[in-house]
Amino acid sequence: MTTPQQETVPFGAAAASGARRPTWPQTRHWVLAAALAVAIAAPFFFHGFVIFQLTEVMIYGLAILGLNLLTGFNGQFSVGHGAFYGLGAYVTAIMMQRWGIAYYWTLPAAGGVCFVVGVLVGLPALRLQGLYLALVTFAAAVALPQLLKFHGFEGWTGGVQGIVVDQPDVPGFLPISADQWLYFFTLGVMLLMFAGASNLIRSRTGRAIMAIRDHPIAAAAMGINAPVYKTLTFGVSALYTGVAGALGALAVQFVAPDSFTLFLSISFLVGLIIGGMGSLPGCLFGGLFVLYVPNIAESVSRGLAGAVYGVIMLLVIFAMPSGAAGFVRHAAGYLSRWRNPPPEPAGQNLAAPQNAYIGQQQAAGFAVRQPPGIVEEQALRITAQEALTTAKQERSRKPK
Amino acid sequence: MKHPTRRRILAAAPTVLALGGPLFIARPARAAKNYGPGVTDSEIKIGNTGPYSGPASSYSSVPKSEVAYWKMINDQGGINGRKINYISYDDAYTPPKTVEMVRKLVEQDHVLLVASTLGTPTSSAVWHYLNQHQVPQLFVASGATKWDDPKGHPWTIGWQPNYQSEGRIYAAYALKEKPDGKIGILYQDDDFGKDYLKGLTDGLGSKAAAMLKVKASYETTDATVDSQVISMKAAGCDVFVNTAIPKFAAQAIKKAAEIAWKPLHILSSIGSSVGATLKPAGFDNSEGIISDFYLKDPTDPRWQNDAGYKWWVAFMNKYLPGADQTDGGYVAGSMLAATLAQVLKQCGDDLTRENVMKQAASLHNFTVPMLLPGITINTSPTDFAPIKQVQMARFNSGRWQLFGPLLTGAVG
Amino acid sequence: MQLLLQQIMAGLANGAIYAGMALAVVMIFLAIDHLNFAQGEMATFSTFVAWQLLAWGFPYWIAFVLVVMLSFVGGIAIERILFKPLHKASILSQLVAFIALFSILNSGDGYIWDYTIKTFPTPFGTRPLFGSVLIDTHEAGMIGVTLVVLLLIYGFFRGTRLGLAMRAAAQNPESARLVGIRVGWMTALGWGLAAAIGAVGGMLIAPVVFLEPNMMFGVLLYGFAGAVLGGLTSPGGAVIGGFAVGIIENLAGTFVPYIGRDLKLTIALIVIVAVLMVRPAGIFGRMTVSRV
């Protein structure tokens, strides 16, 4: 029985030690580099409005990433992340317009405030599972606009009138427009935060977070302090979405209670699911979906725009039940298998102890989800389904 | 005929210019064609946003009737020979969507101006943007008082009598009819509701604290407003200022009748549509309700032979067949468009944004078919409130009966 | 005192609305172990169909029965067509399907029937009950019908084999399958019943709040609150929860100074959170114990 400590064998070393060098990361790196190049070039080919839309895609992608950290990686449902988005937006608006603070300082402030609020929300959330947590966050999302309009806070929030936010100025020496500057600023922030999230996922903390999602009891038995991790994840998730909200305030240049209704929270959730839970690039796809598909639906039929949007959502979710990222992963898997058929049956050629550990867990009946983003060894083709079927067959063969 | 090569054309150029020169230079200055963005010899592009979906979709009749009006204008040949391309997008009554759609209209569709954005929070979201980019925001479909701000926002102009002026009119009426009365106001907890509240409070002046007993707000997500109505009766109110949207206004009217509460019931123009509010509430329950009007009520039989009304019905039958003609939104929308049509006519061939704004601020005694007789549209460089007058009416035996003189509650 | 009594009665009347919705919510929950966010829209759509039948001249009770049956069939159809292919996918993919359904129904309502509010008749009349201005005959009728439906559901689940089979299928599909229960059809049946209950609820609510595509939006939140308060596994609890939420909402709105009126939604939120903190299964729900 392998012990959990062997989990810490660095994956790269295992790869170098004997297995064939996987082709996956190379392709991935090229794709990332190309995407980055396109992203940097884009604002120079489009005019103001499209740049604004692309900025919004990134902002929504970042907000969805926040939700992804909580729901996709940690398994805590939230139907109310629009509230954190709104909170971040209002922090920025109040700091800039009431206290005259420069826009770049408002981002860490928005993140900090949302982190604290997220932790405070996360504490009682410890007692709630799945559905009930969804309900509470649902109620919070519905109640937020009313709270923002509350006349007791009007001095700060501007009440129903909202607050107009000035567009950030371009630093004097750059020959670009304000829209382009905001685009690059957002791009920079987004890359930074995605890198942070990626690091978090691959670290021990990330694995702990995912372990809590997959099997909370086993995780606790292994010594992971679930309450601490869950609460902190809530905080970090809120931080991400709050920063997205702050950027949103800068892009739209206006915050008002009616901008942050339940519909926003639902949009984030839809974007997350369609993009693919537990996938970082999927968040951007989700952002694209949330921004563009309603417009597409409207151009199809103005009177029935909502219905068309619903039908498109259904088509997408039927075609890609695990979201776009899941679809890409499966497609890439098929492609790899087609080009390099597996040499031997699954379960025998286990190149690294980590794979052995996972294999044994699966054979014992635990469906271990592969941490997303970690390269699949070509030798390891077990899907959780196959392992489960095998396990079931073994169990049913045992005398009752 | 020798094939005209480039060298030959270039060689001929000076001669042509010399001969034709006078034609270019001595042209009379009258029909100077001056075009802003979105204008060609044959087309003017105009942008609009409205709630075709979402919680405020009951107001979709307003932009729909505008679109239909411009179709009618195009069928009649357009304005000064140009067809109007009226691009109307759905913003679902959410301000960020309004921002996105208006930016699209300005930066991608290159419209000349943005007309009749519907709603107060939505129009507020693009208020600064349009003024910053010097794009006319004409005839905003909202009664918020802030559109009348020529100094601060010279590119935005309202249309209907604003909510604060209506609130003042209600206050004046209450002071006249029930000087010692206790007033309860039902208002929606957002921009327009609070505008009414302010107007009412200001209009009551020093007596506000004594008279305004119950200020009950509601949210559009509330199921009913029964609780608010009950509170007012319990507080002893005998004047009820009902500024709610049709759904909740109708509920309030019904509930008041059910609990046998008969105050002086003042209904705002938002909720005074017969088809949208009073019919569901029940004509018996609505007996004696007071409201203020500036547009003709399509269900009022007195307009049967009125030329303006007949025009409107013909317009509706042809361009919006099957639409509910008791819905006042169709009246408002078509009249908003008619006002804009006048501005475009006045512009002639000088269709720059500056001139559009100038003409919008130069409407004198202009009327449109469905305005009440005697009410005129007037604007000037210091007056961005086109319609200021209303007339009171009482609901009797199933129809609104106008009474009294034209009133104006202009905000000082 | 008069005010208190009136607000309580008004709260009960509102509460009947929430209770009807909460009942449909619990019904679905018992059948499929999830919440159906499109419940309100399904009810609204059914009510519109009823309105259309009435407009075409059908007598009230015929239209009523017809719509309940059509809703039943419709609910089954939705489950078979939309959710059966998705039942292996994660719960969140199913959530997208719920949201899509919500969107389609809401938009479809507005397109077909317009956004102007419509009146819907009530079979109970609106005369003051026993001459009192505290409650009228329709509100009493609403409460009565809700209780009758509740009794029927209770009898169905506790007293019939089909009800037992349905509960088994929802709680433990694998074992249920092993004893011969057709789990797929049990789920479909649950949907059909929930749709039918929702239709009844919609037709009772419409006379009070007026029929329009967004009729159920606010009601849904309070319905969820009521279902949570009473217990998602207990139909009786849901009904009581619905009434309680109605009363709490009204009393808090009237009597809590300064914040009560403006923060009614927040109060609903606080109710939900408080209940879930103290007793997650709701007042009458059953605490589930699962083996690890």
Side-chain angles (χ1 to χ4, degrees), chain B residues 253-389:
Chain B
I253 295 172
K254 236 176 72 159
K255 192 66 189 173
E258 275 169 30
I259 59 175
W261 182 45
K262 288 198 192 320
L264 168 61
H265 194 140
I266 304 179
L267 194 57
S268 81
S269 54
I270 300 260
S272 61
S273 161
V274 171
T277 313
L278 297 174
K279 195 143 156 284
F283 285 172
D284 293 334
N285 300 331
S286 315
E287 196 69 20
I289 293 184
I290 307 280
S291 185
D292 65 313
F293 281 82
Y294 53 99
L295 291 171
K296 292 174 190 155
D297 175 13
T299 64
D300 191 341
R302 83 154 63 182
W303 305 121
Q304 284 293 338
N305 293 318
D306 177 82
Y309 175 73
K310 290 207 277 215
W311 171 91
W312 183 78
V313 170
F315 159 73
M316 288 294 289
N317 288 337
K318 180 149 184 234
Y319 290 95
L320 286 166
D324 178 9
Q325 291 188 8
T326 62
D327 182 350
Y330 293 113
V331 179
S334 47
M335 293 304 106
L336 280 160
T339 318
L340 179 56
Q342 174 64 18
V343 170
L344 291 175
K345 273 201 203 97
Q346 279 178 209
C347 285
D349 281 329
D350 185 2
L351 288 159
T352 58
R353 287 174 170 165
E354 290 77 12
N355 194 32
V356 164
M357 217 49 227
K358 183 152 161 260
Q359 298 307 322
S362 328
L363 293 168
H364 300 300
N365 287 333
F366 175 62
T367 61
V368 287
M370 286 299 269
L371 272 177
L372 287 179
I375 297 186
T376 53
I377 296 179
N378 283 290
T379 55
S380 80
T382 51
D383 169 19
F384 276 17
I387 305 177
K388 301 179 232 341
Q389 301 153 298

Side-chain angles (χ1 to χ4, degrees), chain B residues 28-51:
Chain B
R30 53 170 171 89
K33 284 189 186 176
N34 234 327
Y35 291 164
V39 183
T40 64
D41 282 345
S42 55
E43 184 189 69
I44 305 177
K45 275 203 246 179
I46 299 180
N48 168 262
T49 60

